[in-house]
Amino acid sequence: MDHALLISRYAAQQGQPGWSRQRLLHEALRHAIRSGSLPPGSRLLASRALAAELGWARNTVIYAYEQLASEGWISAGRRGTVVHARPASVLAGSGRSVGPGALAARDLPAPVPESRGLSRRSAGLACLPVAADLAAAFAPGVPALDAFPLDLWRRLMMRAWRSLVSSQLNYGPPAGEPALREAIAAHLRASRAVRCSAEQVFITDGTQASLDLCARAFADAGDKVWIESPGYGGALTAFRAAQLRPIGIAVDAQGLTPRPQDWLQHRPRLIYVTPSHQYPSGAVMSLERRLALIAQARQAGALIIEDDYDSEFRYDGPPLAALQGLGTDIDTLDAVQPASDAPVLYLGTFSKTLFPGLRIGFMVVPPDRVQLLHHLLARSAPRGRAAEQLALAEFMREGHFGLHLRRMRRLYQQRRDALVAALERQLGDIAQVRGASAGMHLALCFEPELGLDDQAISAAALQAGIVAPALSQHRVGRRASAWSGLMLGYAQVPAEQMAGKVARLSALIRAELR
């Protein structure tokens, strides 16, 4: 802290004519402590150093320090002269003082206004209960972290840091490192039939950051946004925080099911979908519905946000191409031709394929919006973390990413098979497994006639250390959810532990039947 500036500013704003230097220094330091400019735990300069900085006599500084110490604002010790959180001599909340250096009531720190909590916009955001251990069974969205090639990643990170020059420590390109954008575009073209160039790829801090950006950049406050019901709570949070109007659209076994009146009464600006593995039900959107959604979105002038969060993992048959890579002739759904101008914002993440702590995701933006988004990010969101992006680009270019995905597909399929077998054996009479053909989680759907309370079961499981979010808790809007059951992630649970974990969950569910 520049003490000379602090004292001159205080003297100009609040100083009184005729004050001595001792009084001025004492009052200025006390004001800085009370206002938080010198927070608790701060160390003041030694009296000799401060006197030299100010060009004053050391006795002047010593006097001010002694006064502050007698009032309880500071104390001297091995660490030097340290600021206290509050005067030790002031009785909490009483306005009375004790001791020889007692303060008058006017000298007490101003009372802190009672907190009003979150803003009204934030207070209504959905918040699902989570366990302290987010890697516990059956937490959805958690990859097999112990199977990640950590030693290889360390080497690539060290190589990336060695390659950096000083200029790369500055803010990076608004859209992310070109090498990583090139690597992502090449991967998406080959594996997901996404039609894009590297210029259309924008690096983000993960899917949640991508959703926040979509909500801010491509819609205005009050605009309607469709979201699947049941649907992803993170998307709902992003849209509500941006003051959009979420409209829940029901999901069945083939994905989103908008009615004709929805297009007329609730014309959307944005449409959020997870077509390759619906979150949380696991439904896969049929090709017919994909084509119809693109055609109808074009007619409505809406943008589709395609969250392809775990599409890399498919176990039963070939995956359907991403929405972004599909084009339609609006007059007929029979003509399917690749089109890079589909009204789709494609979102992806490395949190599921690699590890969540990497915090790198990406967006593929339609060509006609690339420059607009680039200009927005250049003004509002400078990028950084060049080393991580360069290491990831190398990881992909050298083939390690593809190899890791193939290994994880085999591992996750084994774990899925073990979970499905255990569920069918122990709960097959009261529940059905849905959405197990892809991804890292499945849905255990209760038979409707049993009337099981999936939220009560989920809460009981959480108390027992098992993470099993209730499907009905993911509904969007006020309509009752047609889905009742549990969402079970299996990627992080060893196959040999599945039977035991399911047995504990089964006991909780059957206890609810009694």
Side-chain angles (χ1 to χ4, degrees):
M1 172 174 288
D2 187 337
H3 290 78
L5 177 61
L6 182 150
I7 293 166
S8 64
R9 182 182 299 164
Y10 182 83
Q13 295 176 354
Q14 303 185 46
Q16 300 296 322
W19 275 3
S20 66
R21 287 179 174 178
Q22 295 170 334
R23 175 75 182 276
L24 177 61
L25 180 58
H26 167 250
E27 294 286 349
L29 290 175
R30 185 171 66 172
H31 180 268
I33 295 170
R34 290 175 59 183
S35 66
S37 297
L38 285 172
S42 300
R43 279 188 290 179
L44 299 182
L45 287 177
S47 59
R48 192 184 304 277
L50 182 54
E53 179 179 314
L54 298 175
W56 293 355
R58 186 185 176 201
N59 284 341
T60 298
V61 178
I62 292 174
Y63 172 86
Y65 278 15
E66 287 177 346
Q67 283 293 105
L68 291 170
S70 69
E71 295 168 354
W73 293 109
I74 63 175
S75 64
R78 290 184 177 181
R79 294 180 58 232
T81 303
V82 180
V83 174
H84 283 173
R86 60 175 296 144
S89 59
V90 177
L91 293 177
S94 68
R96 294 181 290 111
S97 302
V98 296
L103 298 176
R106 61 179 174 81
D107 294 319
L108 295 177
V112 178
E114 183 180 353
S115 173
R116 298 180 60 189
L118 295 174
S119 65
R120 287 191 297 272
R121 182 176 62 250
S122 301
L125 300 182
C127 181
L128 300 179
V130 296
D133 181 7
L134 292 178
F138 294 96
V142 181
L145 300 177
D146 57 351
F148 179 74
L150 189 54
D151 289 340
L152 169 62
W153 182 255
R154 287 194 186 101
R155 291 196 298 272
L156 292 175
M157 283 295 297
M158 290 301 298
R159 188 187 304 172
W161 274 110
R162 285 194 295 267
S163 72
L164 289 185
V165 295
S166 58
S167 61
Q168 289 175 290
L169 301 179
N170 204 339
Y171 293 121
E177 291 295 325
L180 179 57
R181 297 167 68 197
E182 288 281 0
I184 290 173
H187 171 75
L188 293 177
R189 289 193 296 264
S191 67
R192 297 296 297 125
V194 170
R195 290 175 58 87
C196 68
S197 64
E199 287 70 28
Q200 293 173 251
V201 178
F202 289 77
I203 307 302
T204 70
D205 292 330
T207 296
Q208 197 62 40
S210 298
L211 289 169
D212 291 337
L213 179 56
C214 287
R216 289 188 294 109
F218 301 111
D220 296 311
D223 283 344
K224 293 177 181 178
V225 53
W226 286 5
I227 180 170
E228 300 159 321
S229 183
Y232 176 49
L236 187 61
T237 296
F239 299 145
R240 284 181 173 167
Q243 300 184 351
L244 306 185
R245 294 178 58 194
I247 304 295
I249 304 295
V251 169
D252 65 12
Q254 295 186 53
L256 197 72
T257 60
R259 304 166 300 177
Q261 59 264 42
D262 291 325
W263 293 101
L264 296 174
Q265 299 172 7
H266 303 293
R267 190 182 185 94
R269 180 76 173 271
L270 299 174
I271 302 171
Y272 172 80
V273 290
T274 52
S276 295
H277 192 231
Q278 201 274 329
Y279 192 99
S281 74
V284 176
M285 186 182 289
S286 66
L287 178 60
E288 181 180 6
R289 288 200 189 171
R290 293 177 187 229
L291 297 174
L293 183 61
I294 292 174
Q296 291 164 331
R298 276 200 180 118
Q299 289 178 330
L303 268 175
I304 300 170
I305 302 175
E306 178 181 11
D307 186 350
D308 217 23
Y309 65 101
D310 66 359
S311 64
E312 302 287 359
F313 306 117
R314 185 163 181 86
Y315 318 111
D316 303 328
L320 292 174
L323 273 173
Q324 193 273 356
L326 294 176
T328 62
D329 181 336
I330 291 177
D331 296 327
T332 174
L333 296 181
D334 295 330
V336 182
Q337 50 192 341
S340 60
D341 63 345
V344 177
L345 297 161
Y346 180 91
L347 275 52
T349 179
F350 293 97
S351 295
K352 307 296 184 287
T353 52
L354 298 180
F355 58 95
L358 183 58
R359 304 311 306 143
I360 293 180
F362 55 89
M363 296 171 51
V364 177
V365 178
D368 61 341
R369 299 173 191 255
V370 168
Q371 286 302 317
L372 297 173
L373 186 59
H374 194 280
H375 292 325
L376 171 65
L377 293 176
R379 295 194 302 268
S380 62
R383 303 299 310 163
R385 299 192 299 158
E388 286 88 342
Q389 294 187 45
L390 293 174
L392 179 54
E394 196 70 9
F395 189 79
M396 299 180 76
R397 280 199 305 263
E398 292 184 355
H400 304 301
F401 185 58
L403 177 61
H404 181 67
L405 289 178
R406 291 192 293 273
R407 288 173 174 168
M408 292 304 98
R409 284 192 198 103
R410 291 193 296 269
L411 179 64
Y412 294 167
Q413 183 169 3
Q414 293 171 1
R415 295 180 174 183
R416 179 210 63 168
D417 292 346
L419 177 58
V420 170
L423 290 172
E424 291 178 344
R425 184 170 58 252
Q426 300 188 47
L427 290 166
D429 58 327
I430 62 173
Q432 295 182 13
V433 173
R434 301 271 186 90
S437 64
M440 300 162 61
H441 77 268
L442 54 78
L444 180 68
C445 298
F446 299 144
E447 297 294 347
E449 62 271 13
L450 297 177
L452 287 169
D453 185 342
D454 61 351
Q455 295 188 36
I457 293 171
S458 176
L462 195 61
Q463 289 294 321
I466 298 175
V467 183
L471 294 178
S472 67
Q473 204 159 16
H474 289 78
R475 71 177 181 273
V476 178
R478 297 181 179 179
R479 283 187 208 166
S481 175
W483 294 82
S484 177
L486 303 174
M487 183 182 180
L488 304 178
Y490 49 81
Q492 81 281 28
V493 185
E496 60 272 15
Q497 296 181 16
M498 287 296 184
K501 303 285 187 185
V502 171
R504 292 174 58 197
L505 184 61
S506 175
L508 292 169
I509 295 173
R510 293 189 181 279
E512 195 66 21
L513 284 171
R514 301 191 189 103

